[in-house]
Amino acid sequence: MKNIYILAIDTSCDDTSVSLLKNDCVLSSIVSSQLDVHKEWGGVVPNLARREHEKMIDGCVKTAFKRSGLSSMKKLSAVAVTYGPGLAPALQVGVTKAKQIAEEFSLPIIAVNHMEGHTLSTFLKNKSGKNYSGMTKAKFPFMTICVSGGHTEIIWVEKLGSYKLLGQTVDDAAGEAFDKVARMLDLGYPGGPIISKLAETGDPKKFVLPRPMKDTHDYNFSFSGLKTACLYNTNDLRKSLGKKFAKIIPDYCASFQEAVVDSLLIKVNKAIKKLNPKMIVLGGGVSANNRLRSKFRKNCKELGIPVFFPEKKFCTDNASMIAVAAYYKFLRGEFVKHTDTFQRDPSITIETIRDESAL
Ligand code: KG4
Ligand code: ZN
């Protein structure tokens, strides 16, 4: 079969990402981080994100193309772009660029849901065709746990292109909780990598923190309650310990991280027992967390179910995961029908994907 070359763009949040794939193999993957811009605000500022995407997008497209080794943009089979969910002004930049490229090189556009990208990031292969996550053959139906700064979702994948949202956070996302607790502890942004590093030398049992919603008969999560518990708790500890507060930070980080991972595992296990998926797949920034990985591995080994994690660089936002989702959409013939009216759609869910071909 003829090779399929897809250039994909993701500008859904604060990373300008462009990637070029040959079928499901990554030829190049560029991520330009805006961390320094948003750091001082303690979170992502949408209009600053748009401005930075506009500055970076052309350079990212050029570099991704150059590093791919493809001889001409005319060799592309399609251009793919994240059209939602995400920040409207940020998404707009990617969609506009994709339309421009499509017009210039007479290419079809593939509209990708950002969450489908995270769901399939374990499907990516390197240039030599080796799967990064060690998955040799996907087994269906499977279950993906997407844990990022904006989402915490359990997604049921009946087959590629057919997704059901089993459960999600009712308030904050898991990554958001990491970021907020890091801010409470004056550790910096983004909180996930900092907390997980400090937690390495901490005792996860030192502080007793809640596992919110652990007994509810659904697959939903809540991380806002945990965050609030941490707020009261750290305020009390600061008062009672004074300068010695700094010493307990690694233990606090480890205990908080444990509460997040346990909360995820409780609901994931509930879903595994009820629905019997053939494999478990992780995705999103928080799936880079080492403690999460080791606890999920142990848990799934005990249950006799395979578990796969994305390569670390594909956990956080990137355009390669968008390109791999687009590759399967290409095979299914799902292209944007009306490119002139095609627009970003910031609030779509994973279940909206089925309607995309009507775009
Ligand atoms: O997937 P992502 O890049 O962005 C969204 O789509 O939201 O995820 C970013 C989130 C941030 O909240 C960050 O703190 C968290 O992922 N994160 C981590 C780790 N690395 C990134 N959380 C826990 N442990 C990590 N190692
Ligand atoms: Zn994301």
Side-chain angles (χ1 to χ4, degrees), residues 10 14 21 41 52 88 122 126 133 146 149 154 199 205-206 211 233 270 291 294 343-344:
D10 183 282
D14 60 341
L21 261 63
W41 305 96
E52 292 305 305
T122 44
N126 68 13
S133 67
C146 277
I154 306 185
K205 294 206 173 85
K206 187 80 184 182
R211 274 66 174 153
N233 204 213
K270 196 173 259 184
R291 183 70 178 163
S294 66
Q343 280 186 25
R344 59 177 171 61

Side-chain angles (χ1 to χ4, degrees), residues 118-119 142-146 153-157 280-283:
H118 278 305
T119 302
F142 69 86
M143 217 164 76
T144 302
I145 299 89
C146 277
E153 298 183 346
I154 306 185
I155 296 162
W156 184 256
V157 186
I280 300 295
V281 157
L282 275 291

Side-chain angles (χ1 to χ4, degrees), residues 12-15 114 118 147-151 174-176 178-179 190-193 196 257 284-290 315-317:
S12 57
C13 192
D14 60 341
D15 290 311
H114 184 78
H118 278 305
V147 267
S148 72
H151 295 87
E176 200 178 347
F178 270 96
D179 296 337
S196 78
Q257 179 176 266
V286 185
S287 69
N289 185 280
N290 286 336
C315 289
T316 44
D317 288 349

Side-chain angles (χ1 to χ4, degrees), residues 95-262:
V95 169
T96 305
K97 182 63 14 197
K99 283 187 180 189
Q100 248 176 38
I101 297 173
E103 185 159 345
E104 190 177 343
F105 299 98
S106 305
L107 298 169
I109 300 180
I110 302 175
V112 179
N113 182 313
H114 184 78
M115 298 315 289
E116 186 176 18
H118 278 305
T119 302
L120 303 185
S121 53
T122 44
F123 282 58
L124 284 165
K125 294 175 181 162
N126 68 13
K127 268 185 200 165
S128 335
K130 188 174 180 296
N131 183 294
Y132 286 102
S133 67
M135 187 197 294
T136 43
K137 195 172 183 329
K139 290 184 186 157
F140 295 89
F142 69 86
M143 217 164 76
T144 302
I145 299 89
C146 277
V147 267
S148 72
H151 295 87
T152 304
E153 298 183 346
I154 306 185
I155 296 162
W156 184 256
V157 186
E158 192 60 40
K159 57 179 184 172
L160 292 177
S162 170
Y163 307 96
K164 193 171 177 319
L165 189 58
L166 294 180
Q168 61 184 319
T169 179
V170 297
D171 41 54
D172 292 351
E176 200 178 347
F178 270 96
D179 296 337
K180 288 179 175 169
V181 170
R183 204 184 311 162
M184 269 173 225
L185 297 169
D186 299 320
L187 297 175
Y189 173 83
I194 307 171
I195 288 187
S196 78
K197 181 89 194 100
L198 285 161
E200 280 170 18
T201 56
D203 173 3
K205 294 206 173 85
K206 187 80 184 182
F207 296 98
V208 182
L209 293 168
R211 274 66 174 153
M213 290 184 71
K214 71 176 168 42
D215 297 317
T216 58
H217 298 292
D218 55 23
Y219 306 121
N220 291 332
F221 309 96
S222 163
F223 291 102
S224 165
L226 173 60
K227 173 199 69 188
T228 310
C230 289
L231 182 64
Y232 291 134
N233 204 213
T234 50
N235 281 345
D236 289 348
L237 286 163
R238 266 204 177 91
K239 270 189 211 137
S240 62
L241 293 172
K243 280 191 181 147
K244 285 188 189 141
F245 180 74
K247 284 204 176 132
I248 59 117
I249 285 183
D251 288 339
Y252 206 86
C253 288
S255 303
F256 162 74
Q257 179 176 266
E258 202 73 358
V260 174
V261 177
D262 283 354

Side-chain angles (χ1 to χ4, degrees), residues 274-349:
K274 180 97 181 152
L275 302 164
N276 196 24
K278 298 285 184 296
M279 63 178 189
I280 300 295
V281 157
L282 275 291
V286 185
S287 69
N289 185 280
N290 286 336
R291 183 70 178 163
L292 178 146
R293 287 180 175 227
S294 66
K295 287 198 85 166
F296 265 76
R297 263 197 203 103
K298 184 168 177 281
N299 177 78
C300 290
K301 196 173 174 194
E302 278 164 17
L303 296 175
I305 178 166
V307 60
F308 299 99
F309 304 90
E311 170 87 357
K312 291 228 170 149
K313 66 178 174 217
F314 300 128
C315 289
T316 44
D317 288 349
N318 66 88
S320 296
M321 67 184 195
I322 302 305
V324 79
Y327 164 68
Y328 290 109
K329 286 171 81 78
F330 189 104
L331 297 180
R332 297 197 297 271
E334 292 176 14
F335 302 101
V336 170
K337 284 203 182 108
H338 309 288
T339 47
D340 40 342
T341 52
F342 166 56
Q343 280 186 25
R344 59 177 171 61
D345 197 345
S347 51
I348 49 169
T349 74

